[in-house]
Amino acid sequence: MKFRGGYNITLQGRPSKKVKILPEPEALYLPLESKRFDFTSIYVEEGQKVDTGDVLAVDPGNYDVPLLSPRAGTVRLSSTEGHIVLEDISTVDDVPDYDKDSIPHIARQMGASGEMRHKLLALGAWQFFRDAYTNELPDPMGTPQAVIVSTLSLDPFTARGDVQFKNRLLQFTRGLEYLQSMLEYQPIYLVIPKSRTKFHDKVKDQIRGYAWVKLIEVPLEYTRTNFNILARNLGLKRADGPIWGVKAGGVLAVDRALTHTKTSLVRIVSIGGPGVKTPEHVKVMAGYPIARIREQYAREGQMRLINGGFFTGRMLGEDEIGLGVEIAGITIIPEHTEREFLGWLRPGFDRSSYSNAFLSTLRGKFAEKFTTTLRGEPRACVSCNFCEEVCPAGIMPHLIHKYLYSDMIEEADAARVDLCVECGLCSFVCPSKIELREEFIGAKVFIEEEKAEAEAQRIKQEEAVQKEQERRKESSEENLY
Ligand code: SF4
Ligand code: SF4
């Protein structure tokens, strides 16, 4: 498979392979909103006692995907805005209230495959799936044209596939078998690292004889595991139907749901970055208080906590009290409150750059202590072309930036800003500190909205014309009598 662009940076604070279990907190704060989900239908009441695995709320806009209770406890609905709080929590093993007899219509229409899909949705495993092109939750009862399973995470710092896998290769392959049994003839592409490692050999050994699995070996470079890019490189067209993308943790959740009828309420989350005391992977449930993570992991001084990886994560806001259901990593970076005097000019030994601008290029590869400082001032595009070199989507970020800067929206659309996979590499390498990724995210939304509005206008006009034609026909018929 031939890839475009891509780039690796080495940052300080890479979590070790060991997975630590975090101590139980006194309360859990479950956010009602995450990147993809909005749990607006609340199923519980103030003061209600719930068990582990009970449904607290569902997202009606996403096939009623449930927000499950990670622990037994007492519900508080109004104590923390935007969250369901669980107090007096205890670790009773989950006995999910799953009743397959409640879905006779699914069993009738889709047989065993429908029952399995329903079980995945009810037990929280379906949340691990996404559509490769849209990133949205796929229809659990839909038919994909293919499934892409990735064993890797290359965005620093999100939980690594080999860590998720540790000692669970058998469960993983069983999960793959379940996936295959839910499909008809559609292929499963399994993404593994190209480099010969123990992990690579183990996976290959384990799936030997699975003719329905197509192995895809990718170099260990950011953005090689982006589902959108993989789908495009595999020649899977968006118009031919959904493509399910799922990572190792999701396949393990499938196994847990279908083998043991159990929920996957605990996530493996990486805590890394230059602002972390001891970078590590932790086993933690949704709702875990962010303040406790800050206390335990952030170094002294002002630190910024980012929900997600270094390139694509989002700063955790003051109003976010607990970990969300989709969390895969927390990146902690020292906050710079003072502007660096002539930062762009100082040829530091301690900073890396895609260009050869800094003396540090003489040091060879080193783990950089990255901070939130801009390290320079924003300025106009200098046409260095770095953004185009690293872009995995094969578009010209500098050109699109110039179009957007001049409000030439149609030209930006024609230059295929829609192909941007929001990886953030262009913004990272840009020596002029232009926020290209943010610009393109905004432009994509704007263009989509404009197109939807134009389409709505077109339909309205067509309906008006049709109505007018019908009216004229009716009145000419009346005149005949
Ligand atoms: S954010 Fe978009 S434009 Fe920038 S490098 Fe990634 S895919 Fe290309
Ligand atoms: S990397 Fe920045 S300065 Fe260089 S061409 Fe792209 S937008 Fe312009």
Side-chain angles (χ1 to χ4, degrees), residues 427-448:
S427 307
F428 178 73
V429 299
C430 178
S432 293
K433 319 291 174 202
I434 301 170
E435 295 278 8
L436 297 159
R437 175 178 180 263
E438 296 303 314
E439 242 179 45
F440 300 164
I441 291 174
K444 285 200 305 182
V445 173
F446 181 75
I447 291 169
E448 279 293 308

Side-chain angles (χ1 to χ4, degrees), residues 67-133:
L67 173 65
L68 300 171
S69 178
R71 290 283 180 265
T74 309
V75 170
R76 297 281 167 237
L77 292 179
S78 47
S79 62
T80 308
E81 208 188 328
H83 296 70
I84 291 182
V85 180
L86 281 183
E87 288 178 352
D88 312 321
I89 58 171
S90 57
T91 50
V92 182
D93 205 13
D94 62 324
V95 189
D97 191 12
Y98 179 73
D99 175 14
K100 84 176 171 65
D101 295 334
S102 67
I103 51 158
H105 60 292
I106 294 175
R108 257 197 318 274
Q109 284 160 16
M110 298 186 69
S113 160
E115 283 178 29
M116 281 199 242
R117 290 156 182 244
H118 182 269
K119 205 166 176 182
L120 295 184
L121 182 67
L123 298 177
W126 192 250
Q127 299 177 7
F128 290 86
F129 286 70
R130 57 189 62 244
D131 183 273
Y133 274 112

Side-chain angles (χ1 to χ4, degrees), residues 223 229 387 390-397 400 417 419-427 436-437 440:
T223 61
I229 297 288
C387 52
V390 295
C391 178
I395 52 178
M396 291 192 269
I400 297 173
V417 65
L419 291 180
C420 167
V421 295
E422 302 168 17
C423 69
L425 272 178
C426 52
S427 307
L436 297 159
R437 175 178 180 263
F440 300 164

Side-chain angles (χ1 to χ4, degrees), residues 40 48 77 109-110 120 145 171 222 258 264 267 282 330 332 348 350 353-354 360 362:
T40 50
Q48 187 177 329
L77 292 179
Q109 284 160 16
M110 298 186 69
L120 295 184
Q145 55 168 309
Q171 288 92 321
Y222 183 65
L258 299 182
S264 290
R267 304 266 184 281
V282 295
I330 290 190
I332 306 182
D350 63 340
S353 165
Y354 183 74
S360 56
L362 301 174

Side-chain angles (χ1 to χ4, degrees), residues 34-45:
S34 68
K35 204 169 179 184
R36 290 182 301 164
F37 307 134
D38 201 358
F39 300 104
T40 50
S41 286
I42 311 289
Y43 275 32
V44 283
E45 289 171 2

